[in-house]
Amino acid sequence: MVLSAHIIQADGKIMHSEMETVRRFLRNSFGEQAEKQGNDILMRLFDYRKSHGNEVWQRQIRQSCREMAMNMEAEVRLQLIAFLCEIAKADGNIHDNEVAALKSVASYLSLSEDIVNRMLSLGGTSLDDAYAVLGISKDATDDEVRKAYRRMAIEHHPDKVAALGDDIKAAATKKFQEINNAKERIFA
């Protein structure tokens, strides 16, 4: 919830669409009571940041991420970054401050900052988006495309998060399909 609040506020605005993304995840994963509790937690976190200031907030983000990096498998941390990217994309406008916040969180979670660019490109329909999803340049060879695809497919295979619940597995399955679609757009 701390990281969700962080990304929601990253552009300086609390948008309904971003809040609804979190609420929908909580409702679908844990029920209506969890949605209400999660919303209350978010409001308290917004107040905490406002009353304690940005420096204390940033320290809290770093500490939370370090604990997660030590206690969560890489696949789970990747799913978390993917979810945070969905929050940032929810209002249809990804602000530079949101991208910077996402990259900081990825780094604190001991993940490559490049994963943020890949996750933000998911769902795009252009050839540029396809290359960005796979994390390769437009002048990559066919072998480099295949290698990048295999790496992404292994990292993001839905079976790796099957034990985390149906919602997370469904999100991973959607992401996996978008990775497949990116490869197909490149080879089309």
Side-chain angles (χ1 to χ4, degrees):
M1 293 306 292
V2 170
L3 297 181
S4 294
H6 183 58
I7 300 306
I8 289 170
Q9 296 182 93
D11 62 359
K13 298 174 270 180
I14 298 172
M15 301 297 291
H16 173 77
S17 54
E18 294 171 340
M19 292 287 292
E20 186 55 31
T21 298
V22 176
R23 288 185 198 117
R24 185 175 42 254
F25 170 76
L26 293 171
R27 181 176 53 248
N28 292 341
S29 297
F30 307 108
E32 290 183 23
Q33 184 64 26
E35 175 188 0
K36 181 183 177 334
Q37 290 171 344
N39 193 67
D40 293 343
I41 290 168
L42 284 173
M43 294 303 155
R44 286 195 305 269
L45 288 167
F46 297 150
D47 289 341
Y48 176 88
R49 182 178 187 175
K50 187 176 181 179
S51 66
H52 287 80
N54 197 49
E55 187 176 320
V56 170
W57 179 256
Q58 292 297 331
R59 224 179 5 254
Q60 180 65 46
I61 295 301
R62 283 189 301 274
Q63 178 184 343
S64 296
C65 288
R66 273 191 232 116
E67 289 175 17
M68 288 180 216
M70 291 186 326
N71 295 300
M72 295 170 90
E73 297 293 325
E75 294 83 11
V76 178
R77 288 180 277 138
L78 285 171
Q79 290 300 317
L80 176 57
I81 287 293
F83 175 66
L84 296 174
C85 287
E86 289 302 313
I87 293 171
K89 293 189 313 186
D91 65 359
N93 181 30
I94 304 167
H95 193 277
D96 289 344
N97 291 346
E98 290 173 315
V99 174
L102 287 163
K103 287 183 176 185
S104 293
V105 167
S107 177
Y108 300 151
L109 289 172
S110 299
L111 297 171
S112 167
E113 291 180 11
D114 186 51
I115 195 70
V116 171
N117 295 333
R118 293 183 208 166
M119 293 296 109
L120 291 175
S121 295
L122 284 173
T125 57
S126 73
L127 194 55
D128 289 344
D129 290 331
Y131 282 107
V133 165
L134 297 180
I136 55 176
S137 69
K138 295 178 201 175
D139 59 351
T141 66
D142 286 355
D143 285 340
E144 290 169 330
V145 171
R146 285 183 192 96
K147 183 178 177 181
Y149 167 75
R150 280 191 300 272
R151 184 185 73 246
M152 290 292 290
I154 290 168
E155 283 180 5
H156 298 282
H157 199 281
D159 289 347
K160 289 192 169 201
V161 294
L164 298 177
D166 291 339
D167 261 12
I168 293 175
K169 185 173 181 181
T173 300
K174 180 181 177 207
K175 185 178 350 149
F176 190 72
Q177 183 59 46
E178 290 175 0
I179 292 167
N180 284 330
N181 292 345
K183 180 191 73 155
E184 289 174 14
R185 273 197 311 276
I186 292 170
F187 284 124

